[in-house]
Amino acid sequence: MKGVELAIGDLNGVLKGLLEKEVVDCLIIPHSVGNNIAYMLVTDPDKIGGEGIFAPSFSVNAAGLVKGWTIKSKVGLVAKPCEIRAAIELVKLNQIDKESALLISVDCPGAFENQVYADHRDEIGEWIDSAKIEELKSKGVELREACKICSNRLADVGDIAVVRREGEKVVVAALTPMGESALNALGMELEDKDIERKDEKAKIADAAKKNEESLPKIGSIEALEEFLRDCIVCKNCRDVCPVCYCKECFFDQPLGNPVSGDMLNLGVIRGAIGLPTNQLFYHLTRVYHVSATCVGCGACADACPKEIPLTRFYPVITKKVQEMFEYVPGKDVEEPIPFTTYEEEELEDRLR
Amino acid sequence: MVEEAKGEFEPKIIGFTCNWCTYASADLAGTSRKKYPPNTRIIRLMCSGRLDPMFVLRALLNGADGVFIGGCHPGECHYIKGNFYARRRIAAIRTILKELGMANRVRSEWISASEGDKFASVMKEMAAQIKEMGPNPLRGKVL
Ligand code: SF4
Ligand code: SF4
Ligand code: FES
């Protein structure tokens, strides 16, 4: 990879440079809001304070914020790897015009829920290492479940990767021609940088696997019914999901969201129906719809007002489908989504 | 609902069959008086590629004990690639249902218009298997 090593403090200059040199028309980046971190869209370089890019706090999956970005003006998205992976899936789904998006992934140590981060910001700060994660864990302050089972948290996707190095240093590396010309436009001298980090990735994947195995299993349709018992079908989990992108959701239409007469009709057919309607049908449909593209970000779990731990359902189940297709969402923008392609001889052992 | 003893209940199977092959094979089985159990209610699709996995979910959630999907043999789809896409969708929905212990209630087969025998034997086999499994655990639930 071609890249450049910088002091962390110089990252701000890079971000500002992207706007000043008109590499992008705007940036969507994390910034501080009171005691917490949220995203902002910024066009004025002077508004970039720089804090929060690595902060281990998860608010929304930022790919969802650029869903539908098919205009010619260019956006630069600075976000965690799971968010950039979701953005890459959206490119494949024609929901983002790749020519109009410069995707910049930053290393993620694993994140805390927004509220948890706010409550412990003094202790956590702008970055957290594994020793500190363990220390906080012993006090009952834990990473999000999705982050504990994530094995892809090191920056290696998008056009540019921002990699943490010992001693408050970062490497900014170009992963694509678009990324390289962006860095060139900033007048950076690029040299070969190794940001592969195979061993570290293997270790992370190992820990993630163990954590996933220790999650309570759903295991049966009755268990799923119980798991979703408190769901009020508010569809927040759909709305925050970066890869749930249908413009007209079935569950907003009369069959999926029946009201009055339609609801009564269903009741007449079935004798009795649970309300709000279609709890199980909604989630089973959604899990199928995101089965190839779910990046396991856990945004759905964070957004659930009933605190249903949806990470135990969506990422866990969809992973089985992704393994079957040997597909890692967001890994490669050129690789087609499994449902849009086929091989003439395949999967016969999965049909009966 | 009264628990029906395993093996004694009559399963309800919803079959989604392609107009050009499996639906015709069912016809052929009928006209040539092949015997098979009457558990399957058939819904005709123009192609297995029309099978939205939501159909499968809806059938199961409405209490069907089994779902059968029939299409043309790979390479023989009337619309060239419909069953190739269908195969991926079916494999995916079955993978999800497997995690929930429901995959063995969903079966698909490629049966051409001339394979009335195959249709009858698949129906027989599937009815027996599902009888053995017992009723859909969602049957009778307020969902
Ligand atoms: S289903 Fe949940 S975990 Fe998967 S991509 Fe959507 S929000 Fe993220
Ligand atoms: S966010 Fe929670 S309550 Fe709302 S639909 Fe999703 S699971 Fe149900
Ligand atoms: S026409 Fe029979 S499967 Fe497509």
Side-chain angles (χ1 to χ4, degrees):
Chain A
M1 297 301 148
K2 292 231 175 285
V4 54
E5 187 169 278
L6 303 167
I8 271 195
D10 295 337
L11 260 183
N12 246 350
V14 175
L15 297 175
K16 288 185 180 184
L18 290 173
L19 289 174
E20 282 158 0
K21 301 275 192 245
E22 294 177 0
V23 174
V24 294
D25 297 296
C26 68
L27 281 171
I28 291 182
I29 54 171
H31 76 138
S32 265
V33 181
N35 212 18
N36 217 327
I37 299 290
Y39 280 97
M40 68 170 169
L41 181 152
V42 55
T43 56
D44 176 356
D46 292 340
K47 294 255 161 65
I48 296 180
E51 65 297 17
I53 285 175
F54 293 105
S57 178
F58 191 100
S59 60
V60 291
N61 186 314
L65 303 174
V66 289
K67 212 185 278 180
W69 196 284
T70 52
I71 54 176
K72 289 290 160 239
S73 303
K74 197 161 182 173
V75 58
L77 178 65
V78 181
K80 302 180 198 333
C82 61
E83 299 170 280
I84 299 299
R85 286 202 306 277
I88 290 169
E89 291 305 291
L90 288 171
V91 168
K92 297 183 198 180
L93 291 162
N94 294 327
Q95 301 295 305
I96 295 177
D97 181 354
K98 183 64 199 71
E99 289 308 306
S100 303
L102 178 72
L103 303 175
I104 303 174
S105 62
V106 301
D107 270 357
C108 172
F112 297 90
E113 277 175 31
N114 234 197
Q115 306 86 310
V116 175
Y117 180 76
D119 291 345
H120 300 271
R121 185 168 188 178
D122 292 344
E123 275 174 282
I124 301 169
E126 300 277 300
W127 177 258
I128 190 161
D129 58 26
S130 46
K132 187 84 188 172
I133 289 174
E134 285 306 312
E135 184 196 320
L136 284 172
K137 191 173 160 192
S138 66
K139 293 190 213 159
V141 182
E142 298 211 35
L143 292 180
R144 299 162 71 243
E145 223 161 58
C147 301
K148 289 192 211 165
I149 65 169
C150 169
S151 48
N152 298 309
R153 60 179 176 75
L154 298 185
D156 61 358
V157 286
D159 301 296
I160 294 175
V162 183
V163 172
R164 302 268 312 196
R165 283 279 155 88
E166 294 287 305
E168 301 294 291
K169 293 260 198 278
V170 291
V171 169
V172 180
L175 306 175
T176 63
M178 184 193 273
E180 193 168 333
S181 64
L183 297 183
N184 284 335
L186 303 185
M188 291 177 152
E189 293 281 333
L190 303 185
E191 34 191 286
D192 281 335
K193 291 281 172 207
D194 181 13
I195 57 161
E196 207 17 66
R197 300 176 285 175
K198 271 216 170 75
D199 296 347
E200 201 182 342
K201 280 182 185 167
K203 250 168 84 183
I204 293 170
D206 243 29
K209 195 163 169 234
K210 284 208 190 80
N211 287 337
E212 187 177 334
E213 280 162 7
S214 70
L215 285 184
K217 290 256 169 325
I218 296 178
S220 72
I221 194 87
E222 295 103 312
L224 180 64
E225 194 195 356
E226 176 64 19
F227 178 80
L228 296 170
R229 189 195 56 203
D230 299 335
C231 169
I232 52 173
V233 203
C234 67
K235 299 164 221 158
N236 257 357
C237 47
R238 168 199 72 186
D239 292 344
V240 298
C241 176
V243 295
C244 220
Y245 69 94
C246 296
K247 289 225 163 95
E248 302 275 346
C249 177
F250 175 87
F251 293 96
D252 286 337
Q253 294 170 32
L255 267 180
N257 183 22
V259 292
S260 74
D262 292 328
M263 193 160 90
L264 173 61
N265 282 344
L266 258 188
V268 168
I269 292 168
R270 300 218 36 180
I273 52 170
L275 299 179
T277 49
N278 284 335
Q279 202 183 53
L280 209 46
F281 192 25
Y282 162 74
H283 285 283
L284 285 168
T285 300
R286 206 175 95 69
V287 79
Y288 168 68
H289 281 179
V290 301
S291 62
T293 50
C294 168
V295 293
C297 65
C300 47
D302 282 8
C304 177
K306 293 300 204 179
E307 299 185 359
I308 300 171
L310 294 171
T311 300
R312 299 173 194 177
F313 182 60
Y314 286 101
V316 171
I317 302 258
T318 56
K319 201 170 154 197
K320 305 286 179 201
V321 174
Q322 294 167 8
E323 281 168 359
M324 173 177 76
F325 290 126
E326 295 175 16
Y327 183 75
V328 180
K331 190 172 160 213
D332 178 2
V333 73
E334 300 299 335
E335 188 182 5
I337 293 176
F339 295 117
T340 64
T341 181
Y342 60 85
E343 281 173 33
E344 293 193 1
E345 279 173 37
E346 61 173 358
L347 301 172
E348 286 295 325
D349 57 333
R350 301 281 191 149
L351 306 181
R352 50 192 76 87
Chain B
M1 182 191 210
V2 189
E3 242 335 285
E4 285 164 293
K6 265 196 188 180
E8 277 172 26
F9 91 112
E10 277 307 326
K12 270 197 189 131
I13 299 171
I14 305 296
F16 296 97
T17 61
C18 158
N19 174 63
W20 303 102
C21 49
T22 314
Y23 188 82
S25 78
D27 240 10
L28 180 60
T31 49
S32 47
R33 296 174 189 275
K34 291 271 163 337
K35 276 218 158 47
Y36 65 91
N39 301 80
T40 309
R41 279 75 169 161
I42 287 187
I43 297 172
R44 175 164 53 162
L45 308 175
M46 284 312 283
C47 172
S48 65
R50 176 62 183 92
L51 191 273
D52 185 326
M54 284 175 85
F55 299 171
V56 175
L57 295 175
R58 206 171 158 99
L60 292 173
L61 291 171
N62 280 336
D65 300 298
V67 177
F68 169 75
I69 303 146
C72 309
H73 287 270
E76 288 172 17
C77 170
H78 203 74
Y79 309 96
I80 321 288
K81 335 189 230 192
N83 54 4
F84 289 134
Y85 290 119
R87 186 165 58 191
R88 288 207 156 193
R89 294 181 195 133
I90 296 161
I93 196 70
R94 285 189 83 257
T95 300
I96 291 167
L97 290 171
K98 187 169 171 209
E99 294 304 301
L100 304 169
M102 297 285 274
N104 49 11
R105 295 183 181 275
V106 179
R107 171 169 178 175
S108 65
E109 294 289 345
W110 315 123
I111 305 175
S112 77
S114 61
E115 294 177 308
D117 283 345
K118 182 172 177 187
F119 181 82
S121 70
V122 166
M123 286 305 110
K124 221 189 265 171
E125 215 178 276
M126 192 167 171
Q129 278 166 350
I130 289 180
K131 235 179 208 182
E132 186 56 34
M133 261 174 241
N136 177 350
L138 296 176
R139 252 221 218 183
K141 285 210 172 192
V142 177
L143 293 178

